[in-house]
Structure formats: structure tokens, C-alpha cells
Amino acid sequence: MKVIVDAFGGDNAPLEVIRGAAQAVEAYGHDIVLTGDEAQIRKVAADNGISLHKMDIIHAPDVIGMDDEPRSILKEHKECSMAEGLRQLAAGNGDAFVTAGSTGAMIMGSTFIVKRIKGVSRAALAPLMPSNKGPFMLIDSGANVDCRPEMLLQFAKMGSLYMQSVMGRDVSVGLINIGVEDCKGGALQHEAFALLKDSGLNFVGNVEARDIPFGTADVLVADGFTGNVMLKSLEGTAKFLLGELKKTMLSSTKNKMAAAMLKGDLANMKRLLDPSEIGGTAFLGISKPVIKAHGSSNARAISNAILRAKEYVESGLIADIERDIDLMKVERKQEKM
């Protein structure tokens, strides 16, 4: 398997990206294609003792920054490392693409360079999040701020296929809402609820935010605005709680002794809540596998994002979506009649 990696995407690029790619080569044996300034990649690797074994480099002289207009990946920054990686993926020179760069640019580039699966209305960001019953998917988490009800139905169908193919789950689906009653929410939620109820999916109904960490559903569906607020709220809450727990455990000799006794359990809890353990988010609906890593990704996160790419490719998910897309379109048309 060959995974294309944007060497200059993210806050810690290129060092942590190159280091993470090297870890992935060692752990999984993949071939890696790094896109970015070749001279700088080789210098950073040499200066830090990182082997470039099983890594090819495709030179891309430019970088698109987090503050750049996303559309500029198609014009002003079309020679950037992210755009080159997406072109290589579209040309079939790799099996998947991983970037920790600008989310907006990744969405724009994936949509117009790699392109959506035929029949998919909008591609959606689909991160895996922790719960007390194992990871669940939150879809969409920010790619589509304004959504139509039929888009949420497609998100649910694509998310369900992912959780079946990649995670091996018997999938349940919930709709994020302000209450569990069928009548809750605005027009979008009302219409999406009706579509999901009649979809043939294992739809468990509306899910309130406070119930999300308790494994209420395997796939939670939302418009991108709601999903992004939920994603960042959960990330911020986890970071706050871990920080407060650390302060408490170091606040006295007694607590330090207790922390020493609980060291293994506390480490497991930290891993559960650490985004780097998942590594990357699938951008579902694109015609080839694209994985978005967190902008602050370290080497471990990049390595895990490459693992997510491997799982995505091996699942055959894109073929599954292509196979079922007509059913999604038929259901959508029926609701419009």
C-alpha cells in the first residue's frame, strides 16, 4: 500500500510529519510519498536522524497556510504540498492521502481535484470520538455548515457503511438534537428525522448532547455547524478535565502517592481522550480515501492517521458507497415528490 502524506501540513510540519511517516513505515510497512519542498524534507530528516526508507518525495515548492483562503489551493497556491498530494491521489499514484493542513483547503482541494463519488451531494468530515462503549462517528463535523435534510440522510448512510466495514459494528444511528422527543428541533431536524426513520437504518431517534459520551449511537448525524461545535466542545471538555485531574493529582503528597498507584489507569484514561490516538478523520464521499489529521498533530498522530488511511483503503468502503448510491438517490427523490 502507498500512502501520500502532505509533509508541510499542520502546526508541527515538517518535522513531526516526517517522523510520523517514518514510524508508520516501521509499524505497518507501507510505502510513503511525501509531498513538499524536497531539499527541506531531506535536511530535516538528516538533522534529526530520521530514516527516509520506503519514502519517495515529490517536490512541491509552496505551502498553503491555515489563514489562506481555501479556494487559493486551486489558484494562487496550486503548487503547494497539499494540492500536489491530492493531484497524485487523483492520478492513481497512491492509495490514500493524509494531511494535517488547512481543513478548508483540504475540503476544497478534495472536492475539485479528487472529486466526489458520483451521486454524493456533499462530502462530510466523519471523526471517530470516544465513548464508554467504544468509538462512535460524528458526521458531519464541519465540512457543510448549511445542510438539506437529504444530505443528513446520505451522511447517515455513508457513516453506517464506514462503521460496518471498518469497525465491524452492527450500526445504530442517532440525530443530534435539543431533545429526544420526535417533535424537537427546527425544520432541518424535523425533515431529517422523517427521512432517517423511513431509511431502513437502525435509527434510534434524537440524541441530546449530554448523552453523546455514553454510546447512545454508533453514528451521530448533524449539520456541519452543529457537528463542529459539538466536536470542539467535546475536545475542549476532555482537555479541561485532564488538566484539572493532573493539577489535583500533583497538589499534595497524598495525591501524588495516589497518582503513582493509579498511574496505569490514568494513562489509559488519557489515551481514551487523546485525539492523537485516533489520528485522523475520514472525509467521506470523496472518490478516493482522504484523511484529515488534526492541525496540531504530533508524530504519533500522523502515524495513526496513516493507519486510518490503511483501514479505509482495505475496507472497500468507496465501492460500497458507489454500489448503494442509487438507493440513497431514490429515497431522496421520493421525499421530494
Side-chain angles (χ1 to χ4, degrees), residues 292-305:
K292 173 64 176 72
H294 202 287
S296 61
S297 290
N298 57 18
R300 180 171 179 77
I302 295 296
S303 178
N304 283 332

Side-chain angles (χ1 to χ4, degrees), residues 84-240:
E84 183 58 40
L86 290 167
R87 283 193 293 270
Q88 293 294 321
L89 180 66
N93 297 327
D95 299 296
F97 174 68
V98 173
T99 182
S102 163
T103 300
M106 183 278 299
I107 292 169
M108 186 67 63
S110 298
T111 301
F112 288 96
I113 297 173
V114 185
K115 303 187 185 304
R116 292 191 297 268
I117 296 168
K118 186 176 180 180
V120 169
S121 297
R122 293 289 187 276
L125 288 165
L128 296 177
M129 305 290 292
S131 80
N132 64 351
K133 295 182 181 177
F136 68 90
M137 174 178 285
L138 174 60
I139 182 170
D140 179 30
S141 69
N144 306 280
V145 173
D146 297 309
C147 289
R148 301 185 303 276
E150 59 267 22
M151 289 167 59
L152 269 61
L153 174 62
Q154 276 200 346
F155 298 164
K157 295 243 177 187
M158 291 192 296
S160 294
L161 287 170
Y162 183 99
M163 295 301 280
Q164 290 168 356
S165 299
V166 178
M167 306 299 290
R169 297 277 188 85
D170 292 325
V171 182
S172 58
V173 176
L175 176 65
I176 296 179
N177 209 330
I178 57 173
V180 298
E181 298 85 357
D182 295 3
C183 61
K184 290 290 186 177
L188 174 63
Q189 287 74 31
H190 291 164
E191 294 180 45
F193 185 98
L195 288 174
L196 291 166
K197 187 176 180 180
D198 294 337
S199 66
L201 297 169
N202 180 20
F203 180 53
V204 298
N206 291 322
V207 177
E208 289 186 290
R210 66 185 177 189
D211 296 324
I212 287 175
F214 301 103
T216 309
D218 299 296
V219 176
L220 285 173
V221 184
D223 60 277
F225 183 91
T226 301
N228 191 263
V229 171
M230 182 59 59
L231 171 69
K232 290 175 180 175
S233 296
L234 290 170
E235 287 180 343
T237 300
K239 187 174 182 179
F240 167 76

Side-chain angles (χ1 to χ4, degrees), residues 253-275:
T253 301
K254 170 175 64 74
N255 287 5
K256 288 177 183 178
M257 293 174 63
M261 295 175 65
L262 295 171
K263 184 177 180 180
D265 293 324
L266 292 173
N268 289 337
M269 179 181 176
K270 183 178 180 181
R271 278 193 293 271
L272 176 66
L273 299 176
D274 186 355

Side-chain angles (χ1 to χ4, degrees), residues 45-57:
D47 289 349
N48 292 275
I50 302 170
S51 171
L52 294 177
H53 172 62
K54 297 194 74 173
M55 292 193 223
D56 294 327
I57 301 171

